[in-house]
């Protein structure tokens, strides 16, 4: 289908974009367009105006400052995948991005759009939870920083107000020696997850010193598997602890049916992805 008519604006600064967003009541921000345009073509979204962020160069790029990796919201998946800084400092993010869609989508799709869309089937939301990211939101009153763990409110709903733009993603650099894995179960290459698990793991003396587990597409938001995390602390990773972690992770899920599976199936896959991600992370962690 063809989208309904809309006006098009392409500001060159965040300040101008914020001004436009405040003055056009039914405007939507346009990033890579890979989620918004399909929705417009299906007429699920009929914005009166699009504010394209593509010409705002300050919204692109990856840098390091104050023990954090800072990523501009308009940085594409392709750019993340080829960033040396991301590969060196955030291998979990690199592994997750490599599993998003296909090269065509990754050339245009942005990390900011993936986060702001609020789709729990998207991969960045759970990666951001596992990495303890924070989001810089810029609006008419200035900037505020929101933690990923409180950002996602429900399906297609986030803490960002209608007049705010996600401008930057801040991710603390994980401790040296951390293991990581993004284990994603999907029906075919390029598909969204049936379920996935993002794991960041720190071992000390052969037992778990710190662990972060976040799940994709098994709830209205990405889910932090806190009980599984708690149960692993101070334990070695073996069959018994893996089974218990998978069981507890499944208990954190509140999956609904979608074209990728029934709630029970998706929950079972989340358990299995948790087990696989923990094993892979352990193999990469310095003991
Ligand atoms: P857009 O579509 O332009 O915007 C999405 C929403 O976010 C809109 O509401 C827009 O107004 C808002 N928005 C965008 N940027 C900002 C900002 N800076 N501040 C505030 N609001 C903003 N995603 C996955 O995670 N995993 C997958 O496996 C996957 N597979 C896909 C397969 C296909 C075939 C397609 C078409 C898409 C797939 N996607 C997948 C989604 C893809 O990653 C999208 O690019 C992403 O969801 C949205 O990013 P975008 O830059 O295209 O944003």
């Amino acid at each position: 289908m063809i989208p309904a008519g809309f006006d098009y604006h392409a500001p060159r600064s965040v300040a101008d974009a914020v001004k436009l967003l405040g003055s056009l009541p039914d405007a939507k921000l346009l990033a890579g367009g890979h989620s918004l345009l399909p929705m417009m073509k299906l007429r699920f979204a009929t914005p009166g105006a699009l504010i394209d962020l593509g010409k705002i160069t300050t919204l692109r790029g990856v840098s390091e400052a104050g023990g954090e990796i800072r990523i501009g919201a308009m940085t594409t998946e392709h750019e993340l995948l080829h960033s040396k800084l991301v590969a060196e400092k955030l291998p979990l993010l690199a592994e997750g991005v490599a599993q998003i869609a296909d090269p065509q989508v990754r050339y245009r799709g942005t990390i900011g759009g993936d986060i702001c869309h609020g789709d729990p089937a998207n991969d960045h939301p759970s990666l951001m939870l596992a990495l303890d990211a924070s989001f810089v939101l810029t609006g008419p009153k200035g900037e505020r920083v929101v933690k990923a763990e409180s950002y996602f409110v429900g399906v297609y709903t986030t803490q960002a107000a209608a007049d705010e733009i996600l401008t930057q993603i801040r991710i603390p650099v994980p401790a040296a020696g951390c293991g990581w894995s993004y284990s994603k179960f999907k029906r075919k290459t390029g598909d969204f997850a049936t379920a996935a698990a993002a794991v960041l793991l720190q071992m000390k003396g052969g037992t778990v010193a710190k662990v972060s587990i976040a799940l994709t597409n098994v709830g209205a938001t990405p889910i932090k598997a806190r009980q599984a995390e708690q149960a692993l602390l101070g334990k070695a990773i073996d069959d018994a602890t893996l089974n218990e972690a998978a069981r507890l992770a499944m208990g954190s899920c509140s999956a609904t049916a979608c074209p990728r599976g029934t709630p029970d199936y998706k929950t079972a896959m989340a358990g299995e992805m948790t087990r696989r991600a923990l094993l892979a992370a352990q193999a990469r962690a310095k003991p």
Side-chain angles (χ1 to χ4, degrees):
M1 260 171 75
I2 297 170
F6 56 86
D7 292 333
Y8 176 82
H9 303 266
R12 289 181 182 269
S13 71
V14 172
D16 286 351
V18 168
K19 260 189 226 149
L20 276 168
L21 198 55
S23 63
L24 302 166
D26 60 349
K28 288 285 284 178
L29 296 167
L30 175 68
H34 272 300
S35 291
L36 181 56
L37 295 187
M39 287 204 141
M40 289 171 64
K41 286 182 177 177
L42 292 166
R43 308 264 172 132
F44 289 146
T46 53
L50 288 185
I51 302 170
D52 188 347
L53 300 176
K55 289 198 161 61
I56 307 178
T57 49
T58 54
L59 288 181
R60 283 180 110 113
V62 183
S63 60
E64 186 173 11
E68 295 177 328
I69 300 298
R70 298 185 170 181
I71 304 172
M74 285 296 288
T75 307
T76 64
E77 312 294 2
H78 178 80
E79 286 162 347
L80 289 176
L81 205 50
H82 292 85
S83 157
K84 275 193 185 144
L85 209 47
V86 171
E88 269 171 34
K89 302 283 171 88
L90 298 174
L92 172 60
L93 182 61
E95 185 162 278
V97 168
Q99 298 177 67
I100 290 179
D102 51 46
Q104 275 180 308
V105 173
R106 292 197 294 262
Y107 276 125
R108 298 277 321 166
T110 65
I111 182 170
D114 196 279
I115 290 166
C116 291
H117 193 48
D119 184 346
N122 275 3
D123 295 295
H124 277 299
S126 64
L127 289 163
M128 295 299 113
L129 272 194
L131 287 162
D132 192 27
S134 299
F135 305 140
V136 181
L137 298 172
T138 307
K141 292 182 192 143
E143 279 185 3
R144 66 184 177 117
V145 180
V146 179
K147 297 279 282 181
E149 65 187 30
S150 56
Y151 182 77
F152 301 99
V153 176
V155 178
Y156 302 134
T157 316
T158 71
Q159 284 282 352
D163 58 1
E164 286 181 315
I165 300 174
L166 171 65
T167 45
Q168 192 181 65
I169 295 99
R170 295 180 179 170
I171 304 176
V173 175
C178 260
W180 74 93
S181 173
Y182 190 60
S183 294
K184 175 172 174 178
F185 181 70
K186 50 192 175 183
R187 297 174 302 179
K188 59 185 169 111
T189 299
D191 198 10
F192 289 87
T194 301
V199 165
L200 202 58
L201 176 71
Q202 205 178 332
M203 302 290 288
K204 200 171 177 191
T207 62
V208 175
K210 206 171 169 196
V211 62
S212 185
I213 306 172
L215 307 172
T216 301
N217 204 21
V218 281
T221 62
I223 287 175
K224 196 86 176 6
R226 294 190 195 286
Q227 285 182 308
E229 291 171 352
Q230 206 59 37
L232 284 162
L233 289 179
K235 310 252 175 69
I237 302 270
D238 56 23
D239 280 349
T241 48
L242 284 174
N243 286 342
E244 183 62 358
R247 188 184 71 77
L248 291 169
M250 287 166 63
S252 306
C253 300
S254 52
T256 51
C258 78
R260 289 162 188 87
T262 61
D264 284 351
Y265 180 61
K266 287 166 63 175
T267 302
M269 290 306 104
E272 182 55 27
M273 291 305 106
T274 300
R275 183 197 314 271
R276 290 185 193 185
L278 282 166
L279 263 180
Q282 182 204 22
R284 289 160 163 170
K286 299 244 161 62

